[in-house]
Amino acid sequence: SSTAPTGQAAATRSFSIQFDTPDVGSVTSAESTVRGVPGVRSASTTSLALGGVSVMRVSFDGDADMLRIGLSARGYRVTVSGDTIRIRR
């Protein structure tokens, strides 16, 4: 017989994070910061708009609120709408 784990492990979910990218350095900086959030398995830019708003795809062990808290702790202002998250400095 198999026993389900007792709520300790969070499911991995995928989120789109929109972030300002005034220059190339801001892309690598944002990716690095997001990857540093506990629970983030991967973060890579999927839509690049230098001088505008780019999008990265993030795999995260947890829900949107947990990711919001982790991003806020790194100095971002965070807005969540479903699986899309907007971060600003």
Side-chain angles (χ1 to χ4, degrees), residues 37-78:
V37 174
V40 170
R41 289 183 173 260
S42 66
S44 58
T45 299
T46 55
S47 175
L48 180 62
L50 290 180
V53 178
S54 295
V55 179
M56 76 174 83
R57 199 75 185 152
V58 175
S59 291
F60 179 72
D61 291 338
D63 62 22
D65 197 50
M66 293 166 63
L67 182 53
R68 178 191 59 77
I69 291 166
L71 293 166
S72 294
R74 276 149 185 81
Y76 285 109
R77 289 173 302 161
V78 184

